[in-house]
Amino acid sequence: AALFGILILSTLIGILTTGIESKLNSLRRGKSFVLESNHIVVIGWSSKIFSILTQLSHAYEKKGKFCVVILADMDKVEMEHKIKSQIARLNKQNKGLKFLKTVCRCGEANNLADLEMVNPTNAKSIIIIRDGQNDTDSLNFKTSLALRKVTGGRLPCQLVIEMSDPMNIDAIRHIDTKIHVVNPGDLIARVLVQATREPGLSDVYDEILSFDGEEIYFTKSADTAGQSVVDVINGLQGTTFIGIRKKNGETLLNPDHNLIIKDDDEIITIA
């Protein structure tokens, strides 16, 4: 009876050990479901991932902690190690990502099961970046369609996607109205040409378009409703008025000074 009891106990210990090791290996591989909500999903991996995390950290500095979930076809431990190394380097420069929480998952961008892991239905926004492959545009097409499938046919949040071929931009916009396309090659070329004519212009772009320092804000205030543009300009302290965004999305930059601001208008400022 004693030997039989030892045999049964050893078997149970072996089963428990195997089960725990299997679960830990699954967690290390990054195949578990993300329980976060109102998070930001980044699909893909490239050298731009660290700039994205830095800018998001600056953007949410006044709002508190936030979570970024990264899905890429590489080892989860390797991704976490690179991110921690980058955060440690920024901390030495007093540019630490204090409000950032990162969750890494290993998977393919166009695989439905892998996309479901990052919980895109409850995400605040989704970013798809190019990973340096030659046929990235077609992969991004498949990823966008797969996200619509996973989220029930309509994207629940804004999707910002990086495309390289201008011919594909109009096509991918027809997938969903919440898709915003960025063509970095075209954008960089325009900045370079303008910077050759106006030296220092690239520094101006970096100052007002990044989330560090002076930024562009869209704000709605009951105090500005019913006032003219010139009254709002004279009433702003430490802020530069540059335009109005209407309820239908129309943007008016440098509008007529006698224009009356309505209740549902947003004023655009640099502050």
Side-chain angles (χ1 to χ4, degrees):
L3 292 175
F4 184 74
I6 293 172
L7 177 63
I8 295 297
L9 182 61
S10 302
T11 304
L12 288 175
I13 293 174
I15 293 174
L16 289 174
T17 303
T18 303
I20 293 173
E21 288 180 352
S22 176
K23 185 62 178 178
L24 290 175
N25 289 331
S26 176
L27 293 173
R28 289 195 194 98
R29 291 196 302 269
K31 291 296 183 180
S32 59
F33 181 76
V34 174
L35 299 176
E36 303 287 341
S37 61
N38 202 31
H39 56 289
I40 298 174
V41 177
V42 179
I43 300 176
W45 183 278
S46 70
S47 58
K48 293 185 287 292
I49 191 71
F50 304 113
S51 298
I52 292 173
L53 295 178
T54 302
Q55 291 300 318
L56 287 174
S57 180
H58 290 315
Y60 284 86
E61 186 173 355
K62 297 179 181 179
K63 298 181 181 179
K65 290 188 177 182
F66 70 104
C67 178
V68 177
V69 178
I70 303 171
L71 176 67
D73 190 13
M74 61 186 299
D75 184 64
K76 174 179 178 289
V77 177
E78 182 182 356
M79 287 190 284
E80 292 175 344
H81 174 72
K82 290 183 177 181
I83 292 173
K84 287 180 180 179
S85 300
Q86 180 70 7
I87 292 176
R89 186 179 68 82
L90 291 174
N91 283 336
K92 292 181 180 179
Q93 304 173 2
N94 294 322
K95 298 179 180 179
L97 311 183
K98 294 180 280 188
F99 306 96
L100 174 66
K101 174 187 176 183
T102 57
V103 178
C104 299
R105 290 293 180 265
C106 175
E108 297 180 359
N110 57 349
N111 186 290
L112 295 179
D114 292 341
L115 288 174
E116 286 180 353
M117 279 192 311
V118 297
N119 196 9
T121 305
N122 295 320
K124 182 177 183 179
S125 60
I126 303 173
I127 303 173
I128 302 178
I129 59 177
R130 296 176 61 227
D131 55 6
Q133 297 180 3
N134 295 328
D135 199 19
T136 304
D137 281 4
S138 63
L139 178 62
N140 289 349
F141 266 106
K142 296 176 183 178
T143 304
S144 302
L145 293 171
L147 281 170
R148 282 197 50 162
K149 177 72 173 178
V150 169
T151 55
R154 298 288 296 179
L155 292 175
C157 58
Q158 300 296 329
L159 171 62
V160 181
I161 188 168
E162 185 181 4
M163 301 289 286
S164 59
D165 192 344
M167 297 181 63
N168 297 328
I169 293 177
D170 289 334
I172 200 168
R173 282 174 177 161
H174 284 82
I175 295 178
D176 198 283
T177 56
K178 292 185 177 181
I179 292 180
H180 300 274
V181 184
V182 176
N183 184 358
D186 180 64
L187 183 64
I188 293 172
R190 294 187 185 194
V191 173
L192 285 174
V193 172
Q194 293 181 18
T196 57
R197 299 183 61 188
E198 297 289 341
L201 189 60
S202 58
D203 294 331
V204 176
Y205 287 150
D206 180 65
E207 177 68 23
I208 64 176
L209 296 181
S210 68
F211 290 106
D212 189 17
E214 306 296 329
E215 310 166 27
I216 295 178
Y217 289 92
F218 294 78
T219 56
K220 183 185 295 185
S221 174
D223 297 335
T224 60
Q227 296 189 30
S228 64
V229 171
V230 66
D231 291 336
V232 174
I233 293 175
N234 293 331
L236 292 174
Q237 300 293 330
T239 303
T240 303
F241 176 91
I242 60 175
I244 300 172
R245 181 167 66 177
K246 295 290 187 179
K247 184 179 180 180
N248 59 2
E250 179 185 5
T251 302
L252 304 176
L253 296 180
N254 192 23
D256 185 88
H257 283 193
N258 295 321
L259 181 66
I260 302 299
I261 298 176
K262 299 180 180 179
D263 294 340
D264 51 5
D265 289 344
E266 290 181 312
I267 62 171
I268 310 173
T269 60
I270 298 178

